Amino acid sequence: MTFKTKLKLIIEDNTSKLGKFFDLFIQSFIVLSLLSFSIETLPNIESRVKEFLNAFELFTVIIFTIEYLLRLWVSDKKTKFIFSFYGVIDLFAILPFYLSFGIDLRSIRVFRLIRLFRLFKMLRFNDAIQNFVWALKSIKEELILYFIISSFLIFLSAVGIYYFENPVQPEVFKSVFHSAWWAIATLTTVGYGDIYPITAGGKIFTSFILIIGLGVVAVPTGLIASAFSKTKDDKDK
């Protein structure tokens, strides 16, 4: 077995001892880099802390760059890897650093926000999330239909409450679009209380929408739970 083959097994197969260690190593740096990114957003950070965070950023970028190059090297189809979902995520996790390195253009700093893509790199190493993704794929038609019906319900609810409340609360329910916020908050049973009906008709209408909302929230939960259970059963066979 060649060195490249051994390295490929370690990087792409997380069932072996070395593969699990490699995954844990990368996951740890992903979490630490996200923590570092979050600390950077704190106001009034001391200069010493900033210097440490910058040094750690450089170190993590080097680690992720080496990882990306190794994945590219051991990949059988390099072009396919580069343009794959994980390939793009891995590249976006390091590209902003190199784009801003040595360049004094403040506008280029917007690319640093793309470092949040590191969070999605966790998908590569988490079997539970993979199972969840497969479950969603198995019910994608049902979910699409659910979101279409939900959109219709939101629109109809917004129109209904607009006709009830606009005459007495024109500054709150200014239009159907303004009423859509109430419809979303009500159908999802959140009810922030920042916008609510005061007419008798509006309150009765809201009661029906709340009852419908209970079913709207329960439908995707049941679909996903059923699909997830089926996915786990299929994998266990």
Side-chain angles (χ1 to χ4, degrees):
M1 185 180 295
T2 63
F3 174 75
K4 184 177 181 180
T5 303
K6 293 180 180 179
L7 189 61
K8 181 181 177 66
L9 290 175
I10 294 174
I11 294 175
E12 297 184 352
D13 183 12
N14 61 359
T15 58
S16 64
K17 186 176 181 180
L18 289 176
K20 290 179 180 179
F21 175 80
F22 178 80
D23 283 358
L24 182 61
F25 177 79
I26 296 298
Q27 285 188 59
S28 300
F29 271 95
I30 293 171
V31 173
L32 289 173
S33 67
L34 290 173
L35 180 61
S36 172
F37 170 77
S38 301
I39 293 174
E40 285 182 17
T41 62
L42 292 172
N44 304 321
I45 300 179
E46 295 182 3
S47 57
R48 292 182 302 172
V49 177
K50 287 184 177 180
E51 291 176 1
F52 173 79
L53 293 175
N54 289 334
F56 183 74
E57 168 68 6
L58 174 61
F59 183 68
T60 55
V61 167
I62 292 173
I63 294 295
F64 291 140
T65 301
I66 294 173
E67 180 210 1
Y68 178 79
L69 293 176
L70 287 176
R71 289 188 182 279
L72 181 62
W73 183 51
V74 302
S75 177
D76 296 327
K77 297 180 180 179
K78 293 177 172 48
T79 304
K80 184 178 180 181
F81 167 77
I82 292 173
F83 294 102
S84 66
F85 174 77
Y86 290 123
V88 172
I89 294 299
D90 289 347
L91 181 61
F92 276 16
I94 59 175
L95 190 60
F97 178 85
Y98 293 110
L99 288 177
S100 61
F101 186 77
I103 301 176
D104 195 21
L105 298 176
R106 295 190 179 187
S107 60
I108 204 88
R109 291 180 182 175
V110 70
F111 287 104
R112 290 176 65 83
L113 294 176
I114 305 178
R115 286 192 296 166
L116 292 175
F117 274 99
R118 289 178 187 172
L119 181 63
F120 294 99
K121 281 165 63 64
M122 296 291 288
L123 295 174
R124 182 193 296 278
F125 309 105
N126 198 317
D127 290 338
I129 296 179
Q130 289 285 9
N131 292 338
F132 186 73
V133 171
W134 290 331
L136 289 180
K137 287 181 179 179
S138 68
I139 56 169
K140 60 181 179 181
E141 290 83 4
E142 290 85 350
L143 289 177
I144 291 172
L145 180 61
Y146 163 78
F147 284 116
I148 292 174
I149 295 176
S150 297
S151 299
F152 288 157
L153 285 173
I154 290 172
F155 176 74
L156 292 175
S157 301
V159 172
I161 200 66
Y162 170 76
Y163 283 115
F164 278 114
E165 296 297 321
N166 176 259
V168 295
Q169 297 191 81
E171 72 287 349
V172 178
F173 296 91
K174 297 179 182 179
S175 67
V176 172
F177 295 104
H178 289 83
S179 302
W181 167 247
W182 170 90
I184 293 172
T186 305
L187 276 170
T188 55
T189 68
V190 175
Y192 288 111
D194 57 338
I195 175 172
Y196 53 88
I198 59 176
T199 65
K203 291 178 179 179
I204 294 172
F205 181 75
T206 300
S207 299
F208 285 108
I209 297 302
L210 283 169
I211 294 172
I212 295 173
L214 293 174
V216 169
V217 173
V219 169
T221 304
L223 285 173
I224 294 172
S226 177
F228 189 69
S229 177
K230 185 177 182 300
T231 300
K232 289 193 68 176
D233 291 340
D234 291 342
K235 290 193 70 176
D236 291 340
K237 291 180 181 180

